[in-house]
Amino acid sequence: MLRSIDVCLTPALLNLYEITNSIVVVIDILRATSSIVYGIDNGAEAIIPVAHVEDCLAYADQGYLLAAERNGEVVEGYDFGNSPFSYTKEKVGGKTVVLTTTNGTKALHMARENAHQVVMGAFLNLQALCDWLRVQDKNVLLLCAGWKDKFNLEDTLFAGAVVANLRQDFTHLDDSSVAAEDLYLCAKSDLRKYLHKSSHSHRLAQLNIEEDVQFCLQLDVCQSIPVLEGNALVALRA
């Protein structure tokens, strides 16, 4: 089975990839996909990603939780943003969340237009995701959400972790996959220390949410893989 694994370092480059026969893994480590993975693992019935803050309002008065984040902060008037600590079992169990974020939901909406399938990846579900991808018969594109269409370190490190885990199972890796894996191998002994170099880490530090960053860098806390079905992210069924 000849399969390729590619890394798209920013959504601005997505148009360069043929993804109709690919599983696209959307990656926004700090913090959208980490929170989505954690929320689905904690029993959220669904998480509906929308592109714009105003789109959340269409779901008002339907019993849904409305979550909106821009530039790392909760948008005023919404239930919460994209901190993983807002996606605990007590808060989201059995509920549907409507979510919009600066980078992650944008990348997801771009991927869904042409991808064979769209799933969410985070360090929190790294091994579960890799175990599942290993036995699929599709190419894989690791789509880094980046920061406002620019490259970022944290998403690339996660892409590299996936490549390192799966490289023996795929016949072709592009140069961005090789670079992402090399970065991950340099950083994996202390991801947080390495990410002190990142611009987004500095942005989040100004918001006093270091606890969120530390949480998002944990390995294999979750077993769930959120998958896009229709307009909603739900738990992938075995």
Side-chain angles (χ1 to χ4, degrees), residues 5-238:
I5 184 166
D6 294 321
V7 173
C8 181
L9 295 170
T10 158
L13 298 173
L14 183 59
N15 66 308
L16 302 178
Y17 294 85
E18 169 54 56
I19 58 173
T20 54
N21 195 44
S22 296
I23 297 168
V24 175
V25 181
V26 176
I27 305 162
D28 186 1
I29 297 302
L30 300 177
R31 298 163 284 171
T33 59
S34 298
S35 294
I36 290 168
V37 166
Y38 192 52
I40 292 295
D41 206 64
N42 279 325
E45 185 173 306
I47 296 176
I48 300 173
V50 297
H52 306 290
V53 172
E54 312 81 66
D55 296 337
C56 284
L57 297 177
Y59 294 87
D61 303 318
Q62 296 184 38
Y64 298 158
L65 295 170
L66 304 184
E69 169 271 335
R70 284 297 180 271
N71 298 315
E73 299 183 283
V74 179
V75 177
E76 185 177 353
Y78 289 82
D79 295 310
F80 46 82
N82 66 348
S83 168
F85 297 109
S86 296
Y87 292 77
T88 61
K89 189 170 297 185
E90 295 74 21
K91 292 182 179 179
V92 303
K95 297 179 181 178
T96 294
V97 180
V98 182
L99 171 68
T100 183
T101 73
T102 305
N103 303 294
T105 53
K106 175 186 174 181
L108 191 157
H109 278 275
M110 292 175 66
R112 71 185 295 178
E113 293 183 12
N114 295 304
H116 170 76
Q117 191 172 31
V118 178
V119 299
M120 303 292 103
F123 285 108
L124 300 177
N125 72 341
L126 173 62
Q127 195 58 54
L129 175 68
C130 289
D131 290 346
W132 178 74
L133 289 172
R134 184 174 286 109
V135 297
Q136 305 309 303
D137 63 350
K138 298 294 180 183
N139 299 324
V140 172
L141 179 73
L142 304 170
L143 173 57
C144 301
W147 176 257
K148 297 183 178 180
D149 279 342
K150 296 178 182 178
F151 168 91
N152 75 16
L153 279 176
E154 62 271 14
D155 296 347
T156 305
L157 288 179
F158 176 77
V162 175
V163 173
N165 195 298
L166 294 178
R167 65 157 34 254
Q168 300 304 318
D169 301 285
F170 287 78
T171 56
H172 173 71
L173 288 78
D174 65 350
D175 282 0
S176 54
S177 297
V178 175
E181 183 184 24
D182 282 353
L183 275 176
Y184 170 70
L185 294 176
C186 287
K188 72 173 188 174
S189 62
D190 192 337
L191 290 172
R192 184 66 191 103
K193 181 178 179 181
Y194 191 88
L195 285 176
H196 277 299
K197 303 175 183 181
S198 75
S199 59
H200 196 39
S201 177
H202 295 157
R203 279 188 291 270
L204 294 178
Q206 293 173 2
L207 300 173
N208 296 315
I209 50 178
E210 173 63 22
E211 193 176 7
D212 281 21
V213 177
Q214 295 279 5
F215 186 90
C216 292
L217 298 180
Q218 294 181 102
L219 292 174
D220 304 325
V221 172
C222 303
Q223 293 301 310
S224 297
I225 302 170
V227 59
L228 189 65
E229 291 188 0
N231 71 338
L233 291 159
V234 298
L236 181 71
R237 292 179 287 272

